[in-house]
Amino acid sequence: MVKRSLQGSLNGIQEAKKAFAHKGWTHDNLAFEVNLKTRQPIWRFFSGRPVERHIFIEICSVLSLNWREIAANPPEEFPESREPRAEFLDIDALVQQVRSQRFDKIQDQCGTLQLLDVGRPVTIDDIYTDVNILEEIASFQWLEFADLQNFTSKEFDRFGLGKVSQTQIAGITAVETYSKLRVLGKPGAGKTTFLQHLAIQCNRGRFAANRVAIFVSLRDFADESREAGEFHLLNYICKEFLTCGISEPSVLETLLLEGRVLLLLDGLDEVLHQESKGVVNEIRRFSEKYQKNMFVVTCRTAAKAFNLRRFTDVEIAPFSQDQIVAFAQKWFTALTKTNIQDKQEQAVEFIEKLDLPENFQFRRLAVTPLFLHLACWVFHHQNKFPIQKAAFYKQCLDLLLGKWDETKGIERDEVYQGFLLPQKLKLLSQVASATFEQGNYFFEQRIVEQYISDYIGDLPNASTEPEELQLDSEGVLQAIELQHGLLAERVRGIFSFSYLTFQEYLTARQIVANHNLEALEQPLQRLVSHITEPRWREIFLLTVAMLRSADFLVQLMKQKVDALVAEDPYLQKFLTWANQKSLAAPPQPAAIRAFYLALARTPHLTADFAVACMLDQSIFLDVALDNLVMECTIDCKSNFADVHACDDALSNALAIVQDAGLRQALQQLKDLLPDPKQTRERFQTWWQKSYPAWMERLEAMLAKHRNIQHHWHFSPQQQQVLQQYYDANQLLIDCLNSNSEVTDGVRQEIEASLLLPIKELSKREWQGLS
């Protein structure tokens, strides 16, 4: 009969006291490590009194001692250390037997997914896409804030995503490489799905074929442990084995002692704070006791503070382009009710449109499986990406701020002190607006905590104690990072929004909220002051789409755009010329003005540009004549081939010119070109004596007949201003075309007055008043 209690020998107790002193702990510390509610068993242990055998063994294990060397008269036979029973000596057969008994259980537990807003479960094989792993976690790095301040928006998207300096490995490879692995990831990154995939593959013998897969929801384990009053993984798994008809506890113990278990522990971050230490300690004890097995734990990146000793931390990498394509193909095949050909065609169309420049913001989010699923869902129903991007972003934020946890049945510690969804959005909008306005994609922890503290301080019944406000702001920041993943610690002590898209959306939301609240125009006027800054482009597009009436904003934008060139007489002269050219080519004068603005600024226009203008013969002719001048610009090193090119260009121009006077002038110039059969010396003589006058005559003829080739010479500063003017006009047009609430009268007036010189704008205003 095996004793149910053990006590230490005199020498054993002395050794235990030395190990205990080396740890530097108190009795309370040791009781916590052993997962005891009181320190009485610790006192009894060191006093040489009998202690329950499992507690005695656990104390020795925590102190890194061999319990047999500490105990007085240790029993020869003991369940925790005995050899497998005779019928279990063939361990491979036992693995196959247990896998067979548990096959249906694992398939039922891990074989399907319940995707958001999809009314039926989806087989994991139909949707799962292999994930990659980052072995170096960006938020564990130490960098100075100055190292991140000069990042552009594109560099922001790449930072910490494994595309800068980190290499990626396949998820399966990471599990094979590290026997104790903790897989971190953002909300919706696919952590649970990855574990389910491992369980299914092991269950089928395709991965870890010599092991038995055990999948444990740590949230369920914590809930049951709370009711039982103790954290005991072995007992929990034994009960789970009972549901598969395996009633003998020694079966599980044999598998564990032989290292034949793949233990998959999902959702460490989903455990309530008051139970997290107990769960973490139990995982640590269990993994050290049965260290020959494979352990994989998942956890949100923000919960990395839960230290799992001797576990290797890795992070799920964002989807690559190939993974996005693979996921989309599987998604449309598995979730749509159309025929196979239509499914494949829609998947191809989805990928093609996702890669278009106008859908870049969706592409930013599609690196996360959760948002990629939402994008596929929206595209499937509309066969396009939504014009109203703000509505899609709002849906994503609502999902992260509560719905995602609700759909999974996760109960979180409420650190927000009763914040409702609108309050959370308001707080995040204030942080986003303040940081974006300052040009910061990254911000120090103390800065964001101060923004949070300012917000909390304005709430009713808020504490006025600075220390209490500081503690509250720290707690709220931790909650936002852990529960929602909207703010992320990029490197130690430095945060950013997890997606630049959300920072942009929330900034626009703050502008709109302030505009509506103040009933004043200052928020929009401040926005318009950024019209020449490329990084504000998306803010303009989102704001104009979210306003109940966008008339005032687009009118402010038009005034700001016109003011960019208003004080430069030379640029005004240039715009006057472009307007004169447009009057000869109705009915779209604004588009014609834009063309001539580009023509003067871009001398090397391609043939494609000319083809694009073929609908208007006058514009096409001007493109051809402009190219003619380029072909006839001969330098001193030119050879006879250039003369041939010039001759051919004149022939092409003659073929499309209908004006008799212009045809005659062009033919005369063609006749004056030197004969290619002449010697090089005679050609050089012609070039030196006759070419300058010939070229001057060509340009004068084009100015007379077509009002082009005026030799616009812009200074570098004027070139920069023209580029800003051109881009700002393009932004204004994009805002008008973004499904914004702009009245027809305002829209028509702006479109008609685009790219006009100030004199013409004043004339239109006077005509409107009269």
Side-chain angles (χ1 to χ4, degrees):
M1 184 74 177
V2 178
K3 293 189 295 182
R4 294 187 175 275
S5 63
L6 294 171
Q7 65 188 92
S9 65
L10 290 176
N11 291 335
I13 292 172
Q14 292 301 317
E15 290 298 316
K17 287 182 177 179
K18 290 179 183 178
F20 178 67
H22 181 73
K23 292 283 188 181
W25 289 342
T26 65
H27 282 192
D28 286 330
N29 295 144
L30 183 55
F32 176 79
E33 290 293 321
V34 181
N35 196 25
L36 297 174
K37 293 183 178 180
T38 71
R39 61 182 178 179
Q40 184 180 22
I42 305 298
W43 175 80
R44 294 180 62 83
F45 173 85
F46 285 117
S47 301
R49 289 171 169 76
V51 178
E52 288 188 47
R53 67 187 182 210
H54 74 275
I55 294 178
F56 186 96
I57 293 173
E58 195 64 38
I59 292 173
C60 292
S61 175
V62 170
L63 294 176
S64 301
L65 299 170
N66 185 328
W67 69 269
R68 288 184 173 277
E69 297 176 358
I70 304 301
N73 302 317
E76 295 182 2
E77 182 184 358
F78 200 72
E80 279 78 3
S81 62
R82 69 177 182 229
E83 295 297 320
R85 289 176 8 189
E87 60 266 35
F88 295 158
L89 289 179
D90 187 349
I91 191 64
D92 291 327
L94 177 62
V95 168
Q96 296 304 320
Q97 176 189 332
V98 172
R99 278 228 301 256
S100 175
Q101 289 178 273
R102 288 176 42 79
F103 187 87
D104 291 340
K105 170 76 174 182
I106 292 294
Q107 285 296 129
D108 181 66
Q109 189 179 22
C110 301
T112 59
L113 298 174
Q114 192 69 52
L115 298 178
L116 188 72
D117 293 333
V118 178
R120 58 184 174 85
V122 179
T123 303
I124 192 170
D125 293 336
D126 292 340
I127 196 71
Y128 179 76
T129 302
D130 289 331
V131 299
N132 289 335
I133 293 295
L134 301 174
E135 294 183 277
E136 296 181 11
I137 300 172
S139 57
F140 288 4
Q141 301 174 26
W142 288 97
L143 286 178
E144 296 294 333
F145 180 63
D147 297 331
L148 305 176
Q149 280 185 303
N150 296 324
F151 271 48
T152 65
S153 60
K154 289 185 179 180
E155 289 170 326
F156 173 91
D157 287 329
R158 293 166 59 229
F159 181 78
L161 302 185
K163 299 180 182 178
V164 179
S165 60
Q166 300 183 51
T167 57
Q168 302 181 15
I169 62 174
I172 290 284
T173 302
V175 178
E176 292 172 335
T177 303
Y178 306 104
S179 62
K180 294 182 180 180
L181 190 69
R182 183 167 65 160
V183 179
L184 305 175
K186 295 178 182 178
K191 301 180 294 296
T192 299
T193 308
F194 176 53
L195 282 202
Q196 290 181 228
H197 173 71
L198 291 177
I200 293 296
Q201 294 302 100
C202 180
N203 204 36
R204 296 170 178 170
R206 299 174 185 173
F207 172 72
N210 63 340
R211 298 178 188 268
V212 172
I214 300 174
F215 184 96
V216 174
S217 164
L218 290 174
R219 182 175 75 251
D220 293 344
F221 169 63
D223 290 344
E224 186 163 318
S225 298
R226 187 192 315 128
E227 296 177 4
E230 64 173 354
F231 296 95
H232 205 289
L233 258 176
L234 186 64
N235 289 346
Y236 181 83
I237 298 172
C238 280
K239 291 178 182 178
E240 198 264 345
F241 267 40
L242 278 173
T243 64
C244 306
I246 305 174
S247 57
E248 180 57 57
S250 57
V251 172
L252 173 60
E253 192 171 11
T254 299
L255 292 172
L256 288 168
L257 290 171
E258 292 294 319
R260 293 305 188 96
V261 169
L262 170 63
L263 185 57
L264 306 167
L265 305 171
D266 184 48
L268 183 57
D269 60 282
E270 298 174 7
V271 177
L272 292 175
H273 179 71
Q274 61 267 28
E275 296 160 356
S276 60
K277 290 184 179 179
V279 171
V280 167
N281 284 335
E282 176 62 9
I283 294 172
R284 177 185 56 76
R285 286 192 293 269
F286 193 87
S287 63
E288 290 180 357
K289 184 174 183 179
Y290 302 111
Q291 57 185 334
K292 291 194 292 185
N293 300 279
M294 296 173 67
F295 300 86
V296 186
V297 181
T298 64
C299 183
R300 289 187 180 178
T301 305
K304 55 185 177 290
F306 297 146
N307 183 35
L308 280 178
R309 204 160 57 203
R310 298 188 180 91
F311 274 70
T312 298
D313 283 338
V314 297
E315 188 170 17
I316 290 185
F319 269 177
S320 65
Q321 177 64 21
D322 290 342
Q323 289 169 317
I324 291 173
V325 171
F327 181 94
Q329 290 173 339
K330 288 188 174 184
W331 193 97
F332 284 100
T333 300
L335 276 83
T336 59
K337 297 181 180 180
T338 54
N339 59 57
I340 295 296
Q341 183 176 352
D342 289 343
K343 291 176 179 180
Q344 294 172 345
E345 289 177 354
Q346 194 171 33
V348 170
E349 188 177 5
F350 172 84
I351 295 299
E352 289 176 349
K353 291 187 176 180
L354 184 64
D355 287 337
L356 293 177
E358 59 264 31
N359 293 322
F360 175 68
Q361 305 299 326
F362 295 109
R363 177 68 178 79
R364 277 176 168 174
L365 295 176
V367 298
T368 299
L370 173 61
F371 298 136
L372 180 54
H373 158 66
L374 284 180
C376 290
W377 187 250
V378 170
F379 190 89
H380 168 58
H381 288 284
Q382 301 181 5
N383 209 37
K384 64 179 182 180
F385 290 100
I387 297 176
Q388 284 281 13
K389 295 179 183 179
F392 181 78
Y393 301 154
K394 175 66 163 56
Q395 183 180 2
C396 292
L397 284 173
D398 289 351
L399 180 62
L400 288 181
L401 289 172
K403 190 176 179 182
W404 183 235
D405 279 354
E406 290 174 7
T407 57
K408 299 178 70 177
I410 301 173
E411 181 185 356
R412 297 283 185 188
D413 298 301
E414 187 49 68
V415 189
Y416 282 110
Q417 302 176 0
F419 278 23
L420 300 175
L421 177 60
Q423 292 173 306
K424 295 177 182 179
L425 284 171
K426 183 178 180 180
L427 167 59
L428 289 165
S429 297
Q430 289 185 4
V431 174
S433 176
T435 53
F436 195 90
E437 181 79 36
Q438 295 168 3
N440 293 331
Y441 299 132
F442 301 92
F443 29 86
E444 294 176 275
Q445 181 172 342
R446 62 179 181 83
I447 299 297
V448 69
E449 286 177 354
Q450 185 59 55
Y451 290 135
I452 295 172
S453 179
D454 292 343
Y455 179 82
I456 296 175
D458 290 335
L459 295 176
N461 302 320
S463 172
T464 57
E465 294 295 328
E467 290 187 6
E468 189 171 343
L469 276 175
Q470 176 62 28
L471 290 174
D472 287 344
S473 65
E474 291 175 4
V476 169
L477 176 58
Q478 291 172 5
I480 293 173
E481 186 186 15
L482 173 61
Q483 297 180 22
H484 315 318
L486 281 171
L487 291 174
E489 190 176 19
R490 293 295 188 167
V491 298
R492 293 188 184 272
I494 298 176
F495 283 74
S496 77
F497 280 86
S498 53
Y499 302 89
L500 182 56
T501 295
F502 290 147
Q503 188 180 14
E504 292 169 337
Y505 166 78
L506 289 166
T507 298
R509 183 184 182 278
Q510 180 73 359
I511 293 171
V512 173
N514 287 343
H515 170 68
N516 294 336
L517 179 65
E518 298 175 13
L520 298 171
E521 315 307 341
Q522 285 89 341
L524 300 185
Q525 290 168 342
R526 289 196 298 269
L527 172 62
V528 169
S529 69
H530 299 289
I531 199 166
T532 60
E533 300 175 46
R535 73 185 192 90
W536 282 84
R537 172 180 170 78
E538 193 64 21
I539 309 296
F540 277 94
L541 293 171
L542 289 168
T543 303
V544 78
M546 295 164 67
L547 287 168
R548 289 194 293 268
S549 172
D551 283 357
F552 185 73
L553 175 57
V554 294
Q555 288 171 328
L556 279 179
M557 291 174 67
K558 181 64 168 64
Q559 293 170 12
K560 186 68 174 180
V561 170
D562 292 333
L564 293 174
V565 293
E567 302 302 322
D568 190 316
Y570 190 72
L571 294 182
Q572 286 297 305
K573 181 180 178 182
F574 170 60
L575 293 179
T576 299
W577 166 78
N579 183 50
Q580 291 171 350
K581 291 295 297 181
S582 72
L583 297 178
Q588 293 181 310
I592 306 304
R593 290 193 291 271
F595 164 75
Y596 283 106
L597 183 116
L599 181 67
R601 291 173 50 251
T602 313
H604 300 283
L605 285 172
T606 64
D608 292 338
F609 202 162
V611 171
C613 301
M614 285 187 69
L615 291 177
D616 190 288
Q617 188 66 23
S618 176
I619 294 179
F620 183 72
L621 177 59
D622 281 351
V623 172
L625 294 174
D626 190 73
N627 286 336
L628 167 63
V629 175
M630 297 303 301
E631 293 288 349
C632 294
T633 302
I634 305 172
D635 60 33
C636 61
K637 296 180 180 179
S638 296
N639 54 36
F640 294 147
D642 296 302
V643 179
H644 276 297
C646 186
D647 186 79
D648 290 343
L650 280 165
S651 298
N652 292 335
L654 284 166
I656 61 174
V657 170
Q658 296 179 354
D659 179 83
L662 179 56
R663 282 182 59 85
Q664 182 180 1
L666 286 173
Q667 186 62 54
Q668 290 173 354
L669 286 169
K670 187 174 186 299
D671 294 340
L672 292 174
L673 284 174
D675 186 350
K677 296 179 181 179
Q678 292 176 346
T679 63
R680 182 172 184 82
E681 291 75 12
R682 294 188 64 181
F683 169 74
Q684 290 291 341
T685 300
W686 178 88
W687 181 86
Q688 292 173 359
K689 293 184 177 181
S690 303
Y691 171 72
W694 186 92
M695 194 66 193
E696 185 177 342
R697 184 174 172 180
L698 171 62
E699 293 173 346
M701 177 267 297
L702 294 178
K704 175 184 176 182
H705 290 277
R706 297 298 305 170
N707 193 19
I708 60 176
Q709 288 304 315
H710 284 282
H711 297 290
W712 297 105
H713 297 294
F714 303 114
S715 68
Q717 183 178 1
Q718 288 173 326
Q719 285 279 14
Q720 182 181 5
V721 171
L722 272 179
Q723 184 65 55
Q724 292 177 340
Y725 178 68
Y726 188 86
D727 292 342
N729 272 287
Q730 184 61 59
L731 173 59
L732 178 55
I733 294 171
D734 292 341
C735 286
L736 291 174
N737 295 333
S738 65
N739 201 28
S740 55
E741 295 296 328
V742 179
T743 57
D744 290 341
V746 171
R747 183 186 300 272
Q748 291 167 8
E749 175 57 28
I750 290 177
E751 290 175 345
S753 61
L754 288 170
L755 303 171
L756 278 177
I758 294 298
K759 186 166 85 170
E760 292 297 323
L761 290 172
S762 300
K763 187 187 298 183
R764 291 180 65 88
E765 290 178 8
W766 183 83
Q767 290 174 345
L769 291 173
S770 62

